Amino acid sequence: LQHDISLALYVLPHVLTCLLRQGSPAVLKEIHTEVMTVLNHSAASKDLDYGDSTNMCTQTIFTAMDHFTAWANGENTAAAVREAKGQTQKDNFEEVEEVIKFLDSIPKDVLALSAFRCQAYTRSLMYLESFLSTNLDALQKNLGFLQEAIVMLQLVMSVQSSWKMK
């Protein structure tokens, strides 16, 4: 595992999901601290190259968060299906809530800025929209960032269209 980064990157979201579901408060706090350290460092950086270690760490955080979200959504859907069928299987409601609570504890504005620095403009807009929908008073302060993210996304889409035309 030490020398196979791709395997480690594949396993990490699964391990973190298990820790979020069943870990002690100290473990949850440590995971949160690590995630915030990476995201804050990424957000504070001006330009991140694709191969930059900060960029790679931030992308790994996004992959893990996507996994957490997919797991929680899958568990909620499965529970709803079981309930609709009248099945009485023990749900892991508390574990799902723990994962959702962790996801909600990560500030969306930091996620948006980190994604922007990693040139993940679609993700950046998604998190910025989430942040602004719950913080309407922050719209004016973040209007420049919103415009910049939209312009960069349009630029990327234009370049992609040009490549397709060739």
Side-chain angles (χ1 to χ4, degrees), residues 19-156:
L19 288 171
L20 290 178
R21 292 170 52 197
Q22 301 167 349
S24 68
V27 169
L28 298 177
K29 184 175 190 230
E30 188 174 337
I31 293 170
H32 186 271
T33 301
E34 288 291 326
V35 167
M36 289 307 301
T37 300
V38 170
L39 292 175
N40 286 329
H41 182 71
S42 174
S45 302
K46 289 298 174 199
D47 285 322
L48 295 176
D49 294 329
Y50 182 73
D52 183 5
S53 63
T54 301
N55 186 333
M56 292 170 54
C57 290
T58 305
Q59 293 291 351
T60 302
I61 297 292
F62 292 144
T63 300
M65 291 185 66
D66 290 346
H67 181 80
F68 304 155
T69 302
W71 178 84
N73 289 341
E75 290 297 314
N76 284 334
T77 301
V81 168
R82 284 191 299 272
E83 184 178 318
K85 290 182 177 180
Q87 297 174 345
T88 57
Q89 183 176 356
K90 180 188 176 285
D91 291 328
N92 51 355
F93 179 75
E94 292 84 15
E95 292 177 1
V96 173
E97 287 299 310
E98 210 48 58
V99 172
I100 291 171
K101 188 168 71 171
F102 177 82
L103 287 168
D104 290 343
S105 73
I106 308 295
K108 302 300 182 257
D109 56 336
V110 174
L111 286 165
L113 190 54
S114 295
F116 185 83
R117 297 288 189 241
C118 291
Q119 301 173 3
Y121 303 119
T122 304
R123 182 181 294 275
S124 178
L125 283 172
M126 176 186 73
Y127 286 129
L128 186 58
E129 177 185 18
S130 177
F131 171 71
L132 293 175
S133 69
T134 58
N135 299 293
L136 295 175
D137 56 328
L139 178 61
Q140 194 68 354
K141 179 183 171 198
N142 288 285
L143 199 54
F145 177 43
L146 177 61
Q147 290 171 330
E148 190 175 359
I150 290 171
V151 167
M152 293 307 293
L153 182 60
Q154 288 175 338
L155 180 64
V156 168

